[in-house]
Amino acid sequence: MQLLIQLRWLAVVGQVITIAVVHYGLGIPLPLPEMTAVLMALIVTNLGYLYWFKWRRRNVTSVGLFCALLADVAALAVQLYLSGGASNPFIYLFLLQAILSAVLLSPAYTWVIAAITSLCVIDLAGSSRPLAVQPDNNLYVIGLLTCFVLTTVLLVIFLTRIVGNLRRRDSRLADMRQRASEEEHIVRMGLLATGAAHELGTPLATMSVILGDWQRIPEIARQPELLQDLDEMRQQLLRCKSIVTNVLLSAGEARADAPKPTTLFRFMDRLIAQWQETHHPGRFRYHNGIAQDLAIISDTALQQMICNVLDNALEASADEVELRLRREDDQLVITVLDRGTGFAPEILRNFGKYQQSNKTDRAGRGVGLFLVTNVARSLDGTASARNRDDGGAEVRIQFPLSSITLGDTDHGTTPAAAG
C-alpha cells in the first residue's frame, strides 16, 4: 500500500508536468478545470489512504489494494477521455495497472482489473473528447516513446521494491524456521536433561547413604587415608547433587529455589568464585568496568551461559582466561577472551548453530555455544565470536540490562576485580 501511495504521488506530479507541457508548451488546448478536478480527486484519495492505513494503522487487505488500483484506473480513464481517448499515446498506461494488479492481488482481483481496463480502452476508442490539434505522426511517436519510458521506469522502481520486500520476508521466514528448529533442539535437550536428573537422584541418594555408613565403620575410621578418600567422594557426590539441582532449576521444577533478587556485582563475584573453585584455571583475570552496582534477578540460565563460555575458553587455553564486564548505554556486555588457537572459519560463519564446534573428538559437540546463543536471544540480546589479532578467541555476549534488572537502584558499590 505504501508503494501504491508513492506511485500515485508520482502519477500526480507526472500528470501536472504533462498537462503543462502539452497545454502551454505545445499549444494544444486541454480542458484544464476538468483535468485539475481529477488531479485533486487523486490527491484527496491518497491523503485518505495515508490517514486510514498509516496514521490510523488499519490493516491492509486485498480489498483495500483492489480499491486503490481501481481508483487509479478510473482517474486514468477520465484523463484520457478528456484528452483524445484511444488516440492519446498514454493509453498504454493501462498496462501498468494490469501488471501491478498481477503482482499485488490474487488472480480473481487481477482478472477483474484486466477486464475493467479492457472495457475502458474499448469505450475510449468509441467515445472521447477529441483534441483540437492537427494529426501529427511525429508528435504521436514522441508521446508513445514518453509513455514507454515512463512505464518502464515505474515498473522497474515498483517491481524492484516489491522483490526487495519479498526477499526480506523470505529472509525473516527463514530466520523464524531456523529459530523454531533450534528451539526444538533445546526442548529435546531439556527433556533429556531433566529426565536424566530425575533418574540420577535415586542412585546419588543411595551412594550418599552408603558413604555415610562406611565412615562409621570402626575399621575404616581407624584409617585416616581412607577417611580422607571417603570425604573427597562425599564432596564430589554433593557436587553431582548440586548439578542435578541446577538442571531441575533450569527446567523450572525446583520452585523452592526460585531465582532471588541480588546485585550484579554479587552475582558475578559468586559465579566466578564457584567457577574458579571447580575448574582451577591457571591464570584468570576478571575486569569489572561498571561504575555502579545494579539490582538484578539471579538467573540460573544466565549463570550457565557465562559458565559455558568460560568452560570453552578454559578448554582452549588452560593457561589464561579473561572475563570483562562493562556497560554500553543500556546494554550489558560480557566478553570472554582466551589465548588458544581461535575459532575455525567455518565455526565463525555458523557461530551458535547446533553442532558447530572445534571439538572434533567428541560427539554431540557445539551444545554449549548453541545454548549460549539461545539464552542471549531469550534476553533480547546477541552472542558473537571473533579471533583476536594477537592470538586466541573472543566471545561477546550483549543484552539489555532491563531484561535482568529490578530497577535503577544504586548500591554504592565499587567495581570488583579478581585475578
Side-chain angles (χ1 to χ4, degrees), residues 71-126:
D72 294 334
V73 170
L76 179 61
V78 174
Q79 294 288 47
L80 291 173
Y81 173 82
L82 297 172
S83 57
S87 62
N88 191 321
F90 288 96
I91 196 170
Y92 294 102
L93 288 175
F94 279 122
L95 291 175
L96 177 63
Q97 307 298 332
I99 294 172
L100 293 181
S101 65
V103 173
L104 299 176
L105 300 176
S106 62
Y109 286 115
T110 300
W111 283 112
V112 172
I113 292 290
I116 292 174
T117 54
S118 299
L119 291 175
C120 289
V121 171
I122 294 172
D123 184 68
L124 289 172

Side-chain angles (χ1 to χ4, degrees), residues 186-203:
I186 292 175
V187 170
R188 290 178 179 177
M189 287 189 293
L191 292 174
L192 177 62
T194 53
H198 282 296
E199 294 294 331
L200 288 171
T202 300

Side-chain angles (χ1 to χ4, degrees), residues 3 19 119 127 137 165 205 221 229 244 294 313 366 374 392 403 416:
L3 292 176
I19 292 172
L119 291 175
S127 62
N137 188 59
N165 288 343
D229 291 340
V244 169
L294 298 169
N374 282 275
S403 60

Side-chain angles (χ1 to χ4, degrees), residues 158-386:
F158 193 84
L159 293 181
T160 300
R161 296 282 298 276
I162 288 293
V163 171
N165 288 343
L166 293 177
R167 287 176 178 171
R168 285 190 292 272
R169 183 200 65 181
D170 292 341
S171 177
R172 287 195 297 269
L173 290 176
D175 291 341
M176 292 174 63
R177 285 193 293 266
Q178 177 67 23
R179 183 166 181 174
S181 176
E182 292 176 352
E183 290 175 351
E184 182 181 358
H185 285 300
I186 292 175
V187 170
R188 290 178 179 177
M189 287 189 293
L191 292 174
L192 177 62
T194 53
H198 282 296
E199 294 294 331
L200 288 171
T202 300
L204 288 176
T206 303
M207 293 172 63
S208 180
V209 172
I210 293 174
L211 287 176
D213 292 339
W214 283 2
Q215 286 182 320
R216 289 189 293 270
I217 297 176
E219 291 79 1
I220 297 177
R222 289 192 292 268
Q223 302 183 40
E225 293 183 359
L226 188 55
L227 282 176
Q228 185 177 358
D229 291 340
L230 288 177
D231 186 64
E232 179 65 23
M233 291 174 65
R234 285 180 64 92
Q235 294 298 324
Q236 296 300 322
L237 188 61
L238 290 175
R239 181 184 172 192
C240 292
K241 294 175 69 175
S242 175
I243 293 173
V244 169
T245 300
N246 286 335
V247 170
L248 295 176
L249 177 61
S250 299
E253 299 188 19
R255 299 300 182 186
D257 297 325
K260 297 180 176 63
T262 183
T263 68
L264 179 61
F265 291 175
R266 192 179 304 133
F267 172 81
M268 292 299 300
D269 291 342
R270 184 170 60 248
L271 181 153
I272 290 170
Q274 292 175 354
W275 183 80
Q276 286 183 293
E277 181 181 354
T278 56
H279 292 79
H280 307 290
R283 183 183 181 190
F284 178 74
R285 292 185 294 177
Y286 170 45
H287 299 285
N288 187 347
I290 300 179
Q292 296 179 341
D293 202 355
L294 298 169
I296 68 168
I297 288 291
S298 177
D299 189 350
T300 304
L302 176 60
Q303 177 178 343
Q304 292 177 345
M305 174 180 66
I306 299 173
C307 289
N308 276 334
V309 179
L310 290 173
D311 291 347
N312 286 338
L314 185 63
E315 291 184 15
S317 171
D319 296 332
E320 183 176 346
V321 176
E322 182 178 351
L323 187 147
R324 299 175 182 173
L325 187 71
R326 69 179 186 274
R327 178 175 181 173
E328 294 181 358
D329 296 330
D330 61 343
Q331 299 281 314
L332 180 65
V333 180
I334 303 171
T335 307
V336 176
L337 306 97
D338 62 61
R339 289 293 181 181
T341 57
F343 290 100
E346 180 67 21
I347 303 301
L348 290 177
R349 284 194 297 268
N350 301 282
F351 180 80
K353 292 186 178 180
Y354 189 61
Q355 291 187 338
Q356 292 291 333
S357 174
N358 283 345
K359 306 170 191 175
T360 57
D361 58 334
R362 287 189 287 172
R365 56 192 179 275
V367 175
L369 293 179
F370 171 70
L371 291 176
V372 167
T373 302
N374 282 275
V375 171
R377 183 186 298 165
S378 69
L379 296 173
D380 296 327
T382 58
S384 60
R386 71 176 185 90

